[in-house]
Amino acid sequence: MSVHASALDSVLDSPLAPARTRSTPAAPAALAVLAASTPLTCDPGPGHGNDLPDLSPFDLVHDRTGTGSLKWDFAAERGRPTTALPLWVADMDHATAPCVTSALLWRVRHGIFGYSEPDADYNTALAGWFSRRYDWRIDPAWNVITPGVVPALALAVRALTGPGDAVVIEEPVYYPFREVVEANGRTVASVELVRDADGAYRRDAEALEATLARTGARLLLLCNPHNPVGRVWSRDELARLAEVTARHGVIVVADEIHADLALPGHRTTPFASLGAEVAARTVTCTSPSKAFNLAGLQAANILIPDPALRARFRTELDAGGYSQPNTLGLVACRAAYENGDAWIDELREHIAAAREHVVERLKAVPGITAAPCEGTYLLWLDCTGLLAATGLGADELDDFILGEAGLWLDDGAIFGAGGRGFTRMNVACPRAILDEALNRLEAGVSALMARRALPTHRADTATAA
């Protein structure tokens, strides 16, 4: 990726440009650096020398304050100190792909933002993405656009179950799973994932089958890849899940919003791609919002092959008064799916490197390890060793991380069964910010250990890999 310096300046100075990149007040001035990582050649143009370092566009520090950012601008409203470094909510501190920005700029210059619908070009881009990336042949007629995946989960719960019905979720899991079930008057049937000796999570098929038999549940919410534990479920694991759910006549609503963020060496298998019988009882929730950092544009593609299920889902959507989607969301999605392959693959490499960097840095932080991660930019940190060594209670963990380490993370308890003693960290940020967060965590833990007269270094520095 080559950036011409003078051309970049002209873009930054244009009326359409965002605020210049600069350091954030929530972190030290050192965060204004451009940390050298993967190559980015800055070419000053013909006839000029090139003495600039190789830089990664993902290590450019953007000031997001003052942009109405949920992540950076609403600490006080959410009861957090404004000095806390936010690595909690799942959006990235990276600019989206240049192909998306270019498409949006073109559309904005047009200046008219009336009602819009997915057109033939949009449908071609959508089908092409799933064909190229997943070998999954979809029919655009399956697609129902919604403002996001979480609204789609709630719509599916209302459309496909009745009041009081049981809905299965596999915890610890993204906390809106439980919320959309309970807020709509249904009953959560939780099946806890099990953790192997190597720290990786697995599905307990026997416990799942027993829960389905006991509760009579006919709907399961699947997180694939799984947030927060980072599993990219294998094809064999999903096939076994398909067998169990088929025996009990269960419809699967698959949240696959993180599908594009399987890390190098891993590949997401869409649950519905297992075959026609599986697809006929699957609602697949997809969106470019996580992978391309487009959550604020509110466009999700909900793929429902079965006409009867699709009609029930659409009836519920229509009842809410929603019709045409966000015009710019459609533009961004089409651009990402037409031209975003190389960018997303570079991002995946960046996230994998960030994950390895965290694992290495945690060797100096007693009692905290990272669970193995195959996908998403969200690391699941096991702090149970710290709790055991210091006598800190699980209910005190988040206050310690926020108040003493100065980090705003997502406490594991909100993810349900199996989450206490864990915390979730978003590593989709420049290396300078990530290192600042790890410095704060290490300093906070060292101070806690010293205060309790405990050793500050572990004899065994092994971490979960």
Side-chain angles (χ1 to χ4, degrees), residues 89-90 149-150 153 169-179 223 226-229 255 257-258 290 378 410 414-416 424:
V89 70
V149 165
V150 172
L153 298 177
I169 64 175
E170 298 176 302
E171 292 183 320
V173 73
Y174 182 46
Y175 43 90
F177 275 42
R178 176 175 284 272
E179 292 171 354
C223 200
H226 193 94
N227 170 16
V229 306
D255 173 1
I257 197 170
H258 292 278
K290 297 303 179 191
L378 305 165
D410 266 342
I414 66 176
F415 296 91
R424 191 187 76 171

Side-chain angles (χ1 to χ4, degrees), residues 179-227:
E179 292 171 354
V180 299
V181 174
E182 295 178 339
N184 286 292
R186 276 60 171 175
T187 303
V188 168
S190 174
V191 181
E192 189 171 346
L193 298 173
V194 295
R195 197 174 185 204
D196 289 348
D198 63 358
Y201 285 81
R202 311 289 174 193
R203 176 174 293 109
D204 187 337
E206 292 183 1
L208 173 60
E209 187 128 32
T211 299
L212 292 173
R214 174 177 54 81
T215 64
R218 294 296 178 264
L219 190 71
L220 180 145
L221 304 185
L222 169 67
C223 200
N224 177 42
H226 193 94
N227 170 16

